[in-house]
Amino acid sequence: MFERVPFSALAEVNPRTELPTGLSPSVSVSFIPMSDVSESGRWETQQERLLATVSRGYTSFREGDVLVAKITPCMENGKGAHARGLVGGLGFGSTEFHVLRARPDVDPRFIYHWTRSPSLRAKAEAFMSGSAGQQRVEKEFFEKFLVVRLPLPEQRAIAAVLDSLDDAIQKTEQIIAKLQQVKQGLLHDLLTRGIDDNGELRDPDRHPEQFQDSPLGRIPKGWDVEKLRVLYSEPSRNGLYKGPAYHGRGAPMIQMGNLFASDEVSFSDTGRVSVSESELRTFGLRVGDILFARRSLVFEGAGRAAVVGVVPEPATFESSIVRVRLRTERILPRFAVTYLASHQGYLRRRAHIRQVAVSGVSGTDIASFLMAIPTLSEQQTIVETKAILDLQIENEARARGALMSMKNGLSDDLLTGRVRTTSLPEFSA
């Protein structure tokens, strides 16, 4: 049985960092504000500052120290980093970091992975003190949080296992980021150049005769530009308001939060509201409906659109949402949402957004959104291309989630000594 000791027995908490004698104030050192560490525990932007500008009023640390956020919500979200590659071996950063320095016979990466563990962060969250919104984990937490003291070779083996999982997670994140870039660039080309009869992107430089001037700039010939209202199959409709007494039972009611997860309306975590048959007929949803957010706490969210892909049961939508039904012989609902969610669509939408207490658009504003309308066959190709890329991104995101779950579970088992590294195939003799 391993000895249980306070975490502070493995790492010195907020140690004093002595500066080398005679160090010039004009020397460069690393600088790490809270914004430069990620929720996945990485030091993202490696800034440098002159020693004279950071030697007072900031937290100091040295090469190999581990930084962990102490203030809410940064601590709960996982902000922190292992300070490696510091300029001159010295760093300064946010006063909202705790600095952990591995004691002799303790591996710094072992300390780092402990600070990433869900169990430590859950206990630290319960230990927080201070006023709402300004709660912090005090230094005393590390004197009370008990861990097992494992031999140094096993610490290093555990760190190697968890490092390999971190590497796999990071590579998956890089793939997702690359796919997102490819998707953004390809959609821009598809929505401005379209696809010719040979299935290739039109080239405005080589074939300017294939393009025409429009209120949206140069677009392919054969495309139309219309205000959205011209494409309505029936008048748009604001959603339904029902008082608190009607909530908690009845039909699902799509809320604002159900519009922001993706370009398709989510029916997960919907509230329920008691509605009459007449209200359900008037304010009901069907496949192909487009729902627009009339209001948003963030500027970019106002006027955001999502398409109803499925209707698992009769459902309605709340009063901060506008429902639009389109003439599908002119425009595909999924294409419309793809265009509206694009950079081009956002530029058209933002001109209509009004910002008071919250950002907002009206039904009249939505009706005025300008749309570029390719042929139906081109619209379908664009929708299918986007769906392929979305599926690739979704698959990689699932892989990342699986790796994260594996790491979280294995981390807890290894760090607590419940599972020994000798029992893992890749570390067995």
Side-chain angles (χ1 to χ4, degrees), residues 29-43:
V29 294
S30 290
F31 180 69
I32 310 182
M34 187 68 71
S35 59
D36 281 1
V37 298
S38 72
E39 294 179 3
S40 54
R42 290 194 289 270
W43 177 18

Side-chain angles (χ1 to χ4, degrees), residues 227-240:
K227 289 185 177 180
L228 194 59
R229 64 169 172 264
V230 175
L231 305 167
Y232 288 0
S233 63
E234 61 181 66
S236 65
R237 182 173 291 280
N238 289 352
L240 179 64

